C-alpha cells in the first residue's frame, strides 16, 4: 500500500501458526501412501543460506505504477528430505530478512523515498513422483507470512503490513547424475494462491484486515549437489542452487477503514508484482 500522510501509531496484529501443523500432516499422508511400496529411506537433513535480489511493485486499476521497491535480502533455511518408493518428499522452513529501497507517492500524490524492512517466514512442502528414469512430476504447498515495515520519513508516517498467504503449485523436474561430478536437478513450477489476507494498522486508524487478490506465480531453478563421489552414499554433501520466482496478485476487495469505531474510508490492497532471484549455498547430510 502507498503511504498515507496522517498522524497516529500502528499496532501490528498477530496471526496463528496452525498451517505448520497442516503441512506436517500433508507430508505424513504422502509418506503413508508411499509406504505401501517401500519404506522411506535416504533421509537427508539440509541447511542453506544466500542472498535474494527482490523487486516489489504495486499498481493501480489503470496499471500505473504506484511504488517500486528493490533490495538485497538474506535467506536462511533448514529442511528434511526422504525417498519413499517412487515418491521423493521434502519439507523446508526458511527465513528471509533485509531492507528494500522504497520509491513511491503518498495518498496526496507527493513523492516519497524511504526504506521498507522485510521479514518473511515460509514453509515449503513438496512431493515428487518419478515417471521415467530422470523425470518427475511434483506438487507443492507453500505457507508464508511476511512483515513489511514501511519507515517514517519527514512528516509522512510509516506503518506495518503483515501478509499471510498459502499457495499450491504443480511442477516438472529433471535429474542428471554424473559419476564424478555430482547431481544436477532442474525444475519449473506453475501455481496459484489458495487464500491470503493483509493485517494493517494505518496511521491514526483502527486495525484492519484486507483481502488479497488472486495470486498466480511461476518459478524455475537449478540445484547442484556433490563434493563427494557416489550420490547415494551416506555422509555430507555440498549444494548450490539458483532459483527465480515471479508472482502476480490482482487487486483485493474493498474493505472499510475505521477510526475509534467510526467509518473513515474504504481501501483495497493494490495489484502487486514480486520478482526474486535467489542464490543459495548449502549442505545436506544423508543417512543410509
Amino acid at each position: 500500500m502507498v503511504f498515507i500522510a496522517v498522524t497516529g501509531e500502528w499496532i501490528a496484529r498477530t496471526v496463528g501458526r496452525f498451517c505448520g501443523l497442516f503441512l506436517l500432516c500433508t507430508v505424513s499422508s504422502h509418506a503413508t501412501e508411499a509406504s505401501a511400496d517401500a519404506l522411506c529411506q535416504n533421509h537427508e537433513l539440509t541447511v542453506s543460506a544466500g542472498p535474494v535480489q527482490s523487486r516489489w511493485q504495486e499498481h493501480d486499476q489503470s496499471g500505473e505504477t504506484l511504488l517500486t521497491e528493490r533490495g538485497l535480502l538474506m535467506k536462511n533455511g533448514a529442511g528434511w528430505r526422504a525417498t519413499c518408493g517412487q515418491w521423493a518428499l521434502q519439507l523446508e522452513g526458511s527465513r528471509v530478512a533485509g531492507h528494500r529501497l522504497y520509491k513511491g507517492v503518498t495518498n496526496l500524490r507527493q513523492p516519497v523515498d524511504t526504506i521498507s524492512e522485510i521479514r518473511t517466514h515460509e514453509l515449503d512442502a513438496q512431493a515428487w513422483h518419478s515417471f521415467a528414469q530422470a523425470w518427475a512430476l511434483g506438487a507443492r504447498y507453500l505457507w508464508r507470512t511476511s512483515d513489511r515495515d514501511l519507515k517514517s520519513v519527514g512528516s509522512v508516517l510509516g506503518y506495518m503490513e503483515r501478509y499471510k498467504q498459502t499457495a499450491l503449485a504443480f511442477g516438472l523436474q529433471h535429474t542428471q547424475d554424473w559419476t564424478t561430478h555430482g547431481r544436477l536437478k532442474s525444475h519449473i513450477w506453475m501455481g496459484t494462491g489458495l487464500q491470503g489476507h493483509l493485517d494493517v494498522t494505518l496511521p491514526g486508524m483502527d486495525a484492519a484486515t484486507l483481502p488479497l487478490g488472486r495470486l498466480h506465480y511461476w518459478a524455475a531453478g537449478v540445484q547442484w549437489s556433490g563434493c563427494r563421489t557416489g550420490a547415494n552414499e551416506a555422509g555430507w554433501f555440498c549444494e548450490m542452487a539458483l532459483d527465480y520466482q515471479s508472482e502476480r496478485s490482482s487487486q483485493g476487495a474493498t474493505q472499510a477503514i475505521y477510526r475509534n469505531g467510526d467509518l473513515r474510508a474504504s481501501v483495497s490492497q493494490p495489484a502487486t508484482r514480486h520478482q526474486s532471484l535467489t542464490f543459495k549455498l548449502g549442505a545436506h547430510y544423508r543417512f543410509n
Side-chain angles (χ1 to χ4, degrees), residues 93-110:
S94 63
R95 180 180 186 270
V96 178
H99 298 83
R100 292 192 301 237
L101 298 179
Y102 174 111
K103 187 176 184 63
V105 295
T106 70
N107 62 317
L108 301 178
R109 310 302 294 182
Q110 297 299 313

Side-chain angles (χ1 to χ4, degrees), residues 32-197:
T32 301
E33 294 175 2
S35 64
D37 297 327
L39 295 176
C40 291
Q41 55 186 347
N42 299 329
H43 296 273
E44 297 177 0
L45 296 180
T46 68
V47 292
S48 64
V52 181
Q53 184 64 47
S54 176
R55 182 174 182 265
W56 171 277
Q57 287 186 314
E58 296 183 4
H59 305 274
D60 62 17
Q61 292 181 337
S62 65
E64 181 182 353
T65 300
L66 298 172
L67 63 91
T68 299
E69 294 181 10
R70 292 185 177 88
L72 190 65
L73 314 177
M74 180 59 67
K75 183 173 185 176
N76 300 285
W80 163 86
R81 303 172 191 153
T83 302
C84 306
Q86 298 297 312
W87 289 93
L89 307 181
Q90 177 177 325
L91 180 64
E92 182 182 43
S94 63
R95 180 180 186 270
V96 178
H99 298 83
R100 292 192 301 237
L101 298 179
Y102 174 111
K103 187 176 184 63
V105 295
T106 70
N107 62 317
L108 301 178
R109 310 302 294 182
Q110 297 299 313
V112 58
D113 295 334
T114 186
I115 293 174
S116 66
E117 182 179 356
I118 308 298
R119 295 181 299 275
T120 298
H121 295 87
E122 185 174 270
L123 285 175
D124 182 352
Q126 299 179 17
W128 293 95
H129 189 275
S130 59
F131 67 90
Q133 183 176 1
W135 294 91
L137 293 174
R140 184 185 196 186
Y141 182 85
L142 291 172
W143 173 87
R144 178 172 60 203
T145 178
S146 182
D147 292 342
R148 180 168 170 251
D149 187 358
L150 303 172
K151 302 301 184 180
S152 299
V153 54
S155 61
V156 181
L157 298 182
Y159 54 90
M160 172 79 77
E161 297 179 335
R162 171 163 289 182
Y163 296 80
K164 184 177 180 182
Q165 293 175 303
T166 57
L168 179 67
F170 296 96
L172 179 66
Q173 179 175 265
H174 181 267
T175 301
Q176 178 68 52
D177 284 318
W178 294 303
T179 304
T180 59
H181 296 89
R183 172 177 293 170
L184 182 69
K185 292 183 178 181
S186 55
H187 60 263
I188 187 168
W189 294 101
M190 298 292 292
T192 184
L194 299 178
Q195 61 180 11
H197 66 265

Side-chain angles (χ1 to χ4, degrees), residues 44-47 81 225-226 235-239 282-286:
E44 297 177 0
L45 296 180
T46 68
V47 292
R81 303 172 191 153
S225 61
W236 284 101
F237 294 81
C238 61
E239 295 182 351
H284 69 263
Y285 186 86
R286 178 187 292 269

